[in-house]
């Protein structure tokens, strides 16, 4: 063999090896909290339909010394075919979006049934849908030290590896970037979020429903593109998500699979066993995320550790005044358990309410400082940017509204100490340098459950009724 033939062969081997690896480079990488401070849980996808690489994270305290290795589990899937009943509860039949019906039914039967005061629509559909993903990997990293930067790389050398990335395990009270309703198209806040993640402007993200618009579109390609678009943020800080109405399709399948690190992380730790509703303690805050699309009753242990986590922040895609949702169970629960703040999206605008419960409003002397409020505060931050743009619909009643902003942006939340919780909201309108548009201090010296304002017995009855309504069955 001549020297040149040898060189060509070597080159061929290198090219071949390289292209296999390049084709199967891990993507859609994102990390999450598990609810245990010394842990992070990594989720990524390898796109090749032929290769089945091992699930591995190599990590360490410097980028060239990834001396520790953790393995995990992978799930293979592509096309799903099934026969479903979807139960969609609408308060008023006229408000049912026909597009939802069209997309869901795909030529099959739909029938409606009067139930109590609501109309329930049974959508019986035979659906074939594509998850647009081939192999999803989940790995839990445990025993991490606090206040330390970890460098990590996912994948195996023979079958494609990611770049070396890093995250910081901050102790103390993190700053959370919070928003709902960010899509792949018209993600106005994305550049600002990426820059802030680079600069360490926040320590974690909470995306309160409506992601990608929609993850199942284009046989899942929109979901893939979206997950890749948030990767520069979600590989640096935990990206925590909860579902909104845009995730409902096919029984939340895309959300559940793409955020399986939430199910195996906070879902497992909190005991909910799912990514659709969960809770976690981070710093001085106990977060409770629930799904405002279905009546799910989740008896959370919010008040067990009120000494350690005095603040309770609830998260859902919607607030009580929004359409096609029913807070007749959630409302009294959040009030009774002394939730301080409820954060949501859905309306594509920004709204801050006064402390309210049911019909009662408390007007503070300073619009930006709520001192020992008797009721919880609701904040809507649903304008991170989506193809649906901004909207003026879904206003809270005028007399309850402390601030309303029609612009793109997202908020920051931080518990300063036992008594002071700080929130701010900055706009991220294209070509405009973000400027703080609103802020709020909640000062609370008496954390804890509130006197029950509702009849337990009546409430139990209501809860049972909702539980019946929320059942869905696969046949
Ligand atoms: C790489 O992929 C091949 C083909 O799926 C598989 O046989 C092999 O075990 C993988 N190697 C590693 C280290 O994961
Ligand atoms: C929405 O309301 C804001 C003021 O509250 C107003 O400035 C804006 O023009 C409105 N936009 C539309 C599209 O109606
Ligand atoms: C709590 O934080 C606030 C705001 O930073 C500060 O004014 C207050 O003194 C702090 N309270 C305690 C007890 O440290
Ligand atoms: C809420 O307000 C309505 C109307 O004022 C009242 O009838 C109802 O009893 C209140 N509900 C609760 C749980 O306080
Ligand atoms: C919907 O998904 C949940 C898990 O997230 C599962 O328990 C349930 O059986 C599914 N329902 C249908 C109709 O597929």
């Amino acid at each position: 063999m001549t020297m040149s033939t040898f060189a060509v062969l070597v080159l061929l081997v290198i090219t071949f090896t390289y292209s296999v690896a390049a084709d199967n480079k891990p993507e859609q990488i994102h990390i999450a909290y598990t609810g245990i401070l010394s842990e992070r849980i990594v989720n990524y996808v390898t796109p090749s339909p032929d290769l089945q690489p091992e699930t591995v994270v190599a990590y360490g305290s410097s980028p060239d010394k990834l001396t520790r290795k953790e393995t995990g589990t992978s799930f293979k899937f592509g096309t799903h075919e099934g026969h479903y009943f979807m139960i969609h509860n609408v308060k008023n039949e006229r408000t049912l979006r026909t597009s939802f019906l069209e997309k869901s039914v795909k030529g099959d039967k739909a029938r409606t049934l009067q139930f109590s005061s609501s109309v329930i629509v049974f959508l019986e559909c035979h659906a074939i849908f594509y998850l647009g993903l081939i192999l999803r990997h989940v790995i839990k990293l445990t025993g991490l030290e606090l206040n330390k930067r970890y460098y990590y790389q996912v994948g195996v050398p023979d079958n494609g590896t990611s770049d070396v990335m890093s995250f910081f395990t901050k102790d103390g009270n993190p700053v959370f970037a919070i928003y709902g309703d960010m899509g792949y198209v018209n993600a106005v806040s994305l550049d600002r979020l990426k820059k802030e993640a680079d600069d360490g402007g926040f320590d974690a993200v909470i995306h309160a429903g409506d992601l990608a618009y929609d993850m199942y579109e284009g046989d899942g390609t929109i979901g893939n593109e979206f997950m890749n678009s948030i990767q520069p943020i979600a590989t640096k800080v935990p990206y925590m998500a909860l579902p909104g109405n845009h995730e409902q399709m096919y029984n939340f399948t895309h959300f559940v699979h793409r955020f399986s690190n939430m199910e195996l992380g906070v879902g497992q730790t909190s005991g909910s066993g799912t990514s659709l509703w969960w809770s976690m303690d981070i710093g001085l805050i106990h977060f409770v995320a629930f799904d405002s699309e279905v009546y799910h009753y989740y008896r959370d242990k919010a008040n067990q550790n009120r000494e350690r986590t005095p603040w309770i922040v609830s998260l859902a895609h919607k607030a009580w005044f929004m359409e096609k949702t029913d807070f007749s169970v959630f409302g009294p629960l959040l009030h009774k358990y002394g939730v301080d703040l409820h954060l949501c999206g859905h309306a594509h605008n920004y709204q801050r309410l006064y402390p309210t419960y049911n019909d009662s409003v408390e007007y503070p002397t300073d619009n930006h400082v709520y001192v020992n409020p008797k009721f919880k505060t609701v904040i809507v931050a649903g304008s991170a940017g989506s193809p649906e743009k901004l909207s003026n619909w879904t206003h809270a009643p005028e007399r309850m509204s402390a601030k309303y902003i029609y612009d793109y942006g997202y908020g920051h939340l931080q518990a300063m100490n036992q008594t002071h919780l700080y929130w701010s909201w900055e706009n991220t309108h294209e070509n405009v340098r973000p400027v703080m548009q609103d802020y709020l201090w909640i000062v609370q010296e008496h954390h804890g459950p509130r006197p029950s304002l509702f009849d337990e017995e009546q409430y139990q009855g209501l809860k049972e009724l909702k539980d019946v309504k929320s059942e869905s069955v696969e046949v």
Side-chain angles (χ1 to χ4, degrees):
M1 182 161 55
T2 63
M3 211 45 203
S4 66
T5 317
F6 179 73
V8 166
L9 271 177
V10 167
L11 200 68
L12 271 176
V13 167
I14 289 173
T15 312
F16 180 72
T17 311
Y18 177 76
S19 68
V20 166
D23 283 347
N24 207 29
K25 192 174 159 86
E27 55 171 75
Q28 307 179 42
I29 310 159
H30 55 109
I31 61 173
Y33 286 125
T34 66
I36 295 170
L37 224 53
S38 58
E39 294 182 355
R40 291 293 184 275
I41 186 160
V42 187
N43 190 323
Y44 67 94
V45 166
T46 46
S48 166
D50 307 318
L51 300 175
Q52 289 183 40
E54 236 191 296
T55 303
V56 179
V57 173
Y59 66 109
S61 52
S62 89
D64 47 9
K65 276 206 209 89
L66 307 178
T67 49
R68 289 163 78 178
K69 184 179 138 177
E70 194 66 68
T71 56
T73 45
S74 62
F75 309 87
K76 190 168 195 221
F77 50 82
T79 305
H80 265 230
E81 185 167 354
H83 193 187
Y84 290 94
F85 275 120
M86 287 185 178
I87 299 185
H88 193 63
N89 187 334
V90 277
K91 280 216 143 141
N92 181 336
E93 204 173 1
R94 278 169 302 167
T95 65
L96 182 67
R97 284 192 316 190
T98 48
S99 63
F100 178 84
L101 264 175
E102 279 164 15
K103 280 181 195 161
S104 308
V105 177
K106 293 216 167 134
D108 287 312
K109 296 173 259 179
R111 56 203 166 90
T112 57
L113 193 81
Q114 196 71 32
F115 189 87
S116 170
S117 60
S118 311
V119 173
I120 296 195
V121 179
F122 284 80
L123 303 172
E124 189 184 348
C125 49
H126 182 86
I128 298 174
F129 56 101
Y130 302 91
L131 289 153
L133 313 161
I134 302 303
L135 202 57
R136 176 163 294 288
H137 307 264
V138 186
I139 303 159
K140 197 186 271 184
L141 303 179
T142 58
L144 302 173
E145 285 170 45
L146 297 184
N147 287 323
K148 188 169 164 153
R149 181 157 296 281
Y150 282 95
Y151 295 85
Y152 70 109
Q153 183 177 43
V154 303
V156 280
D158 287 350
N159 288 324
T161 48
S162 71
D163 298 339
V164 175
M165 306 160 294
S166 80
F167 60 79
F168 186 72
T169 53
K170 186 176 165 171
D171 196 9
N173 287 304
V175 176
F176 293 89
I178 297 181
Y179 50 87
D181 308 76
M182 189 167 81
Y184 172 59
V185 172
N186 196 37
V188 176
S189 301
L190 186 66
D191 284 344
R192 176 67 197 162
L193 283 162
K194 285 198 264 193
K195 181 160 187 343
E196 256 207 281
D198 278 346
D199 298 348
F202 51 74
D203 306 296
V205 167
I206 297 177
H207 189 147
D210 283 10
L211 299 83
Y213 289 73
D214 287 346
M215 293 194 276
Y216 68 87
E217 297 278 6
D219 292 339
T221 53
I222 294 292
N224 295 347
E225 298 285 4
F226 174 79
M227 296 308 291
N228 279 325
S229 77
I230 61 167
Q231 183 175 289
I233 307 160
T235 50
K236 296 187 182 83
V237 300
Y239 199 98
M240 309 302 289
L242 46 136
N245 50 299
H246 279 265
E247 279 69 62
Q248 275 178 341
M249 198 58 170
Y250 305 131
N251 190 28
F252 299 93
T253 303
H254 275 263
F255 182 83
V256 166
H257 283 289
R258 293 173 189 278
F259 285 93
S260 47
N261 61 337
M262 305 269 310
E263 180 180 326
L264 300 175
V266 283
Q268 219 166 66
T269 308
S270 69
S272 77
T274 172
S275 55
L276 302 176
W277 46 84
W278 45 267
S279 65
M280 63 172 183
D281 290 348
I282 303 285
L284 293 169
I285 305 181
H286 177 81
F287 288 96
V288 191
F290 62 93
D291 177 6
S292 49
E293 304 306 308
V294 294
Y295 297 112
H296 177 78
Y297 177 70
Y298 173 32
R299 189 169 280 286
D300 187 57
K301 305 175 205 85
N303 281 292
Q304 272 186 3
N305 288 310
R306 206 77 197 233
E307 293 281 296
R308 191 159 54 77
T309 52
W311 297 100
I312 302 182
V313 174
S314 62
L315 306 159
H317 182 56
K318 290 179 184 169
W320 59 269
F321 53 86
M322 295 176 181
E323 82 291 348
K324 284 195 264 170
T325 189
D326 182 348
F327 272 66
S328 56
V329 167
F330 301 135
L333 270 182
L334 301 186
H335 178 81
K336 183 182 169 186
Y337 291 116
V339 168
D340 298 287
L341 179 63
H342 177 74
L343 293 167
C344 63
H346 190 60
H348 297 168
N349 50 45
Y350 173 74
Q351 299 180 52
R352 172 165 60 86
L353 274 63
Y354 292 116
T356 56
Y357 177 61
N358 203 12
D359 270 357
S360 312
V361 191
E362 206 180 343
Y363 296 105
T365 44
D366 182 335
N367 188 316
H368 293 285
V369 187
Y370 297 173
V371 182
N372 294 326
K374 291 203 290 286
F375 310 127
K376 74 171 180 301
T377 301
V378 173
I379 289 178
V380 182
S383 57
S386 79
E388 294 178 0
K389 309 222 165 106
L390 296 171
S391 67
N392 266 338
W393 42 258
T394 322
H395 271 268
E398 199 60 47
R399 66 191 191 88
M400 297 184 175
S401 177
K403 186 83 182 182
Y404 178 87
I405 302 171
Y406 180 78
D407 202 353
Y408 292 104
Y410 61 92
H412 292 86
L413 178 75
Q414 188 176 21
M416 294 300 182
N417 53 40
Q418 303 264 332
T419 53
H420 286 65
L421 186 75
Y422 182 68
W423 164 265
S424 69
W425 191 88
E426 289 75 23
N427 66 1
T428 50
H429 192 79
E430 295 142 293
N431 311 320
V432 176
R433 230 179 103 239
V435 176
M436 200 220 305
Q437 302 291 317
D438 189 37
Y439 73 93
L440 175 71
W441 283 101
I442 299 182
V443 180
Q444 184 55 268
E445 295 156 317
H446 315 291
H447 291 282
R450 300 188 180 98
S452 181
L453 293 182
F454 61 96
D455 179 342
E456 275 296 335
E457 231 169 79
Q458 189 190 350
Y459 162 72
Q460 278 304 329
L462 201 57
K463 169 197 149 359
E464 273 153 32
L465 187 69
K466 307 295 184 200
D467 284 351
V468 171
K469 282 193 207 170
S470 68
E471 267 172 33
S472 62
V473 278
E474 191 175 11
V475 290

